[in-house]
Amino acid sequence: MTSFAPDSIVLNRKLPLWYQVSQSLRASILGRSPRDPLRLPTEEQLAVHYGVSVLTMRQALKELEDEGLITRHRRRGTFIEPDARRGTPVRLLGSVDAIVAQQSGMTTQLLTHGRAEVPGEFAEFFPDLDEVATYHRLRSDEKTGEPTNHAVNYVRPELADRVDLDDLVRWPMTKVLRDVVGADISRITDTVQARLADPETARLLDVPLLSPILHYTGVTYDTGGRPLDVAVIHYRGDRFSFTVTLDAT
């Protein structure tokens, strides 16, 4: 039986290795094609793939098993759970793969795309530009079809010229910029606020007007400190929560 092939990852030694591996594998699982196999490679094969110990790999797999994304069967192997619930809380410890995992794993519809003036609220991030590329996407639960979040990305035009729209239906913008376009991403700053749904957001997410939503803004920077992408995502307040864990070391 052919095994599922996860993406590669460059590990950050300042963060727990098991956490980075679990988030990278989580993003691969949630972003997989329906045609991909459900069986994962063995613990030993995955450990070699990620460059970690078997013990670290085992801890990463336990995290995904506890979340319900995989099931493990003695002597049969480890399998992706195709009906795993999406939109579960995500622990963010600062890795780019955590952001990719948080944005992955739902049915995605590209609503509109094009060029527009830089919004005044984001002018500080694009001081050298008059316009940016914009992408509006709606994500829905794979099983129920229920809308879960609406995302708008504002991307530097020279990067947008290399973005394939088909990739945006399968993967989050962060993954496309890093793994397809080849952008050298160094960090992402996140801001999450509680807000009330305006008429357009309520319509897109199919929730009552003025119901609670989570308003997320993420700014992606390259290694030179230049903003590459600003993402604005509205999450249904009844489907998502965010937990941030600070490492004191």
Side-chain angles (χ1 to χ4, degrees), residues 79-93:
F79 295 84
I80 297 168
E81 178 54 58
D83 296 325
R85 179 72 170 171
R86 312 300 186 182
T88 54
V90 176
R91 289 186 291 166
L92 301 182
L93 294 185

Side-chain angles (χ1 to χ4, degrees), residues 147-199:
T148 58
N149 68 83
H150 171 239
V152 183
N153 289 85
Y154 303 92
V155 182
R156 295 189 64 89
E158 68 270 21
L159 296 178
D161 289 341
R162 292 145 58 193
V163 170
D164 189 319
L165 297 181
D166 289 338
D167 288 337
L168 288 180
V169 174
R170 181 177 179 186
W171 293 317
M173 180 65 78
T174 305
K175 180 176 177 63
V176 172
L177 291 179
R178 185 188 66 178
D179 297 343
V180 180
V181 174
D184 195 3
I185 296 174
S186 65
R187 62 189 173 95
I188 300 173
T189 61
D190 298 327
T191 303
V192 180
Q193 300 171 308
R195 292 192 179 181
L196 300 178
D198 58 33

Side-chain angles (χ1 to χ4, degrees), residues 19 23 88-94 98-99 102 190 192 214 240-246:
Y19 171 78
Q23 292 303 301
T88 54
V90 176
R91 289 186 291 166
L92 301 182
L93 294 185
I99 303 299
Q102 179 264 314
D190 298 327
V192 180
L214 294 176
F240 287 88
S241 64
F242 285 78
T243 300
V244 179
T245 302
L246 299 180

Side-chain angles (χ1 to χ4, degrees), residues 37-50:
L38 293 177
R39 185 173 187 172
L40 289 178
T42 65
E43 286 182 354
E44 292 77 11
Q45 290 170 331
L46 286 170
V48 171
H49 175 79
Y50 286 111

